[in-house]
Amino acid sequence: MKGVAYQQNYSPNGSTSSNTTYTDPLADGDACKRDIPYLKQIYTNIIRVYAIDPTKNHDDCMAQLASADIYVIADLGEPGTSIISDDPEWDVTLYQRYTSVVDNLQKYKNVLGFFAGNENVSSANQTTAAAFVKAAVRDVKGYISSQGYRSTLGVGYATADVPTRDELAHYFACEPGNTGNATAIDFWGYNVYSWCGNSSYSASSYGERVDFFSDYPVPVFFAEYGCIEGIDGGATHRPFTEVEVLFGNMTSVFSGGIVYEWFMGDNDYGLVELTSNDASVSPYPDFTSLQSQLATVSPTITQRSAYTPSNSAPSCPTVGTSWEAKASPLPPSPNSQLCSCMAASLQCNIKSTNEDDYADVFDYICGSNEDYCEGISRNATTGTYGGYSGCDPKDQLAWVANQYYLGNGKSSSACGFSGMATIQTAATASTCSSLLAAVGTAGTGTAASPTGKATASATGSTSKGAAAGINGPKAVEHGGLIMGLWSVVAAGSLLGMLAL
């Protein structure tokens, strides 16, 4: 893989951002026409995009890229709608966003696959987020299969070079219990910035990474690389001396890498500057350096017919002081039908759509009796998840409000909450009975995974006034129970990448 990260003005990480706008890099045919000739000058055969708008048409750019023999690997989230490192969840909104990106891109034969997460675990106290990304990997893989989409579409995860990187790699590739590879990634992306300037194989710790991944069961590549620290002449003068090594002896383990990044932005990583009102491209000196380095390499490739992987899945890391995410059970699959059925079956429902007011009500109800909130609880360390923990905030609040109402003798005053709630006539459709029965009256069971098409709209693509996506339930402890308080990611799937 000789790739480039291709997205303007975007911070691809698992954190919240007040700016949820972004420019869809695959929706502008003129921009693709402008950039592709330059991308080919640096031997590009794949680009990574971090956020696309699934409501837009990408035919023009994707056709141009295909004609230039350029593949695409796409992240599934977008600003405001992704799994948040410090506040992880896996809910209906996220499921609809992720699967709608799959729906939009799956038809293009030059789409290699998707990242279900990027750097969601960036510090020692964020390892629980891995459980929610692994659940996303499971459900996106399941969705691709249930929709009959191309079986070579892979789903992976991209990690930062963090202290828990070894546990992360094992966690996402492990296959707990009798799940097979249903929850395992299809490829592993590594964002590595340890080779700065004229570093070396040993000084950069590249050798350590080769040793560690030598028996890894799925393809591994650098999902980002290109350090700008301590460069003679400044950030735009990267010599890219790591190319000779990455595309040389390392190809026995690593499948190449993706340079960060194409467009110049505030972080100074760009290879090119846009000029003449974005109509032209002006390369920086490190563009030429990268071009020269890539011109000298001829990595060995593996043909699909010769690809016979034999490495076994690693054991899942055990929960301890440095790792806090169980590999099984994972968060339940978000099921919008289940959530709708539940809301209709309640005697006390929430009518307010003002999510800013939800937190106080959650806090009051869950603080008065933990049992009321078991149905929305989530604890990645113990592997305990409520059956409705994948619902959106309004439905989750409706569940706990109804539990409170029932627990207080159905008193009309127990279904008020300053006018946010209302008493209704409970109704259960025949199509809902089995789903609700599976979750149970306490909300602690697990319903079947969804199988139908997902629909979602983009929250921030190019629209300067786009609203922020819901960040999800903020993890708060009441006693020993973690619950949600709403506050404003198989080798066989990646055969196609081997001959890029």
Side-chain angles (χ1 to χ4, degrees), residues 277-303:
N277 292 321
D278 295 349
S280 301
V281 171
S282 178
Y284 286 104
D286 54 355
F287 176 98
T288 303
S289 297
L290 180 62
Q291 181 184 45
S292 298
Q293 293 286 352
L294 287 170
T296 66
V297 300
S298 54
T300 302
I301 65 172
T302 301
Q303 298 295 336

Side-chain angles (χ1 to χ4, degrees), residues 227-229 231-240 264-265 267-273 282-290:
C227 173
I228 61 172
E229 302 298 327
I231 305 298
D232 291 340
T236 60
H237 289 73
R238 289 177 288 183
F240 285 111
M264 178 55 75
N267 60 15
D268 291 334
Y269 278 90
L271 291 169
V272 303
E273 178 185 7
S282 178
Y284 286 104
D286 54 355
F287 176 98
T288 303
S289 297
L290 180 62

Side-chain angles (χ1 to χ4, degrees), residues 346-367:
L346 305 178
Q347 298 176 52
C348 177
N349 205 342
I350 295 297
K351 62 181 179 181
S352 172
T353 58
N354 185 1
E355 293 169 7
D356 291 346
D357 295 336
Y358 290 177
D360 288 342
V361 181
F362 272 118
D363 202 17
Y364 175 78
I365 296 175
C366 297

Side-chain angles (χ1 to χ4, degrees), residues 183-254:
T183 69
I185 52 167
D186 298 315
F187 52 82
W188 182 253
Y190 209 166
N191 301 338
V192 183
Y193 293 90
S194 60
W195 187 303
C196 300
N198 295 306
S199 188
S200 68
Y201 187 68
S202 57
S204 65
S205 298
Y206 274 24
E208 293 179 16
R209 292 166 177 84
V210 170
D211 291 340
F212 178 82
F213 286 105
S214 62
D215 60 353
Y216 204 59
V218 298
V220 184
F221 56 91
F222 282 9
E224 291 175 8
Y225 75 95
C227 173
I228 61 172
E229 302 298 327
I231 305 298
D232 291 340
T236 60
H237 289 73
R238 289 177 288 183
F240 285 111
T241 52
E242 67 265 49
V243 165
E244 180 182 7
V245 174
L246 177 59
F247 293 93
N249 61 300
M250 287 179 66
T251 56
S252 62
V253 174
F254 282 85

Side-chain angles (χ1 to χ4, degrees), residues 435-452:
L435 289 172
L436 297 176
V439 178
T441 57
T444 54
T446 303
S449 301
T451 57

